[in-house]
Structures are given as structure tokens and as C-alpha cells.
Amino acid sequence: MLRNMVTSLIKHERIVTTVPKAKELRTLADKVIGYAKKGNMASQQRAMRIIREKPACTKLFDVLGPRYIDRDGGYTRVMKLSQTRKGDNAVSSIYFDVFVVVVCCGIALYCFLILNSTSYFKLSTANGCY
């Protein structure tokens, strides 16, 4: 399950899941992005053991690896959604890459750069920052 979620995260750069799954996914996703930062053949083979699709692996090493070359850790972020999942009322979260989010006014306002991403959650504002 986690391998499929990492593959989907790399392909779409965000996924909507429950909070416990997202927290468990964080370790595996950070490990795979760490492999992409190294960029050698051994790291690529290690990443292919986890990632299930070849195009996702090429995107990981061509796009995401160079994107995080200056960052030491914390490549992804988990944000809880304001609405719960229908059916079992589970608390849902969105799991995304760090460079997808722009933070204004400290942590008060989150503006997401992906189009149509506001359909998944409401923008949260606090402390009068608009």
C-alpha cells in the first residue's frame, strides 16, 4: 500500500489520504527523495525497488531530485483537511511536496499553486492576514 502511495505522490505531487497513512508515508517518501538527490545508478536501483512505475522513477530523478538538492530534509508536508471523509468520518489530510505551498504571513495563509486544488480543502486564514 505504501509503495503505491509513494508512486502516486511522485506522479501527482499530492495525494489525499487519512492522517495516520500520511504520517507513515512520510518516512518512505523522504527516503526515496533522498535517493533521487544522490542521483547515481545504485540509488536509482534502490528507488526502483520501492516505486512501481518507470515513468514515476524518471520524474523522481529528473524533476524532484534536482528540486530538493539544497534541502536537507522535510521534503513533504501533511496538512489536515477541514472536512472528514464520507462513510466512516475519518479525518482526512492532503500530503504534498514542500514546493507546492507558498507560506505568507508566517503560517497564517496557505496559497496552493496547483490549479483546482481548492476543491480538496478550504484555505485557512488566521491573524487577519488576507
Side-chain angles (χ1 to χ4, degrees):
M1 175 187 68
L2 290 176
R3 290 174 59 194
N4 287 332
M5 290 175 74
V6 168
T7 305
S8 296
L9 177 68
I10 292 169
K11 278 175 50 177
H12 305 291
E13 295 190 13
R14 67 175 178 173
I15 55 173
V16 178
T17 184
T18 59
V19 175
K21 286 181 189 176
K23 288 182 179 179
E24 191 68 30
L25 179 66
R26 182 183 310 173
T27 58
L28 193 61
D30 285 350
K31 184 185 293 187
V32 170
I33 293 174
Y35 291 153
K37 280 177 54 177
K38 291 179 187 173
N40 56 11
M41 184 60 79
S43 298
Q44 191 169 6
Q45 290 172 350
R46 286 185 188 142
M48 279 302 292
R49 293 179 193 163
I50 298 170
I51 300 171
R52 293 187 177 255
E53 297 176 6
K54 182 73 174 169
C57 190
T58 17
K59 180 179 179 180
L60 176 70
F61 279 86
D62 293 343
V63 177
L64 297 178
R67 183 186 296 175
Y68 295 114
I69 200 74
D70 295 332
R71 195 171 179 96
D72 291 332
Y75 310 114
T76 54
R77 187 163 294 162
V78 177
M79 176 180 278
K80 291 183 183 178
L81 297 177
S82 61
Q83 58 222 67
T84 57
R85 188 168 63 187
K86 290 186 178 182
D88 60 352
N89 205 23
V91 178
S92 296
S93 66
I94 189 164
Y95 190 77
F96 52 88
D97 288 336
V98 170
F99 285 110
V100 172
V101 70
V102 175
V103 180
C104 304
C105 299
I107 57 171
L109 174 65
Y110 291 95
C111 303
F112 290 86
L113 301 176
I114 296 178
L115 296 176
N116 298 327
S117 65
T118 56
S119 62
Y120 287 106
F121 54 91
K122 298 175 184 174
L123 293 175
S124 62
T125 59
N127 299 332
C129 296
Y130 300 104

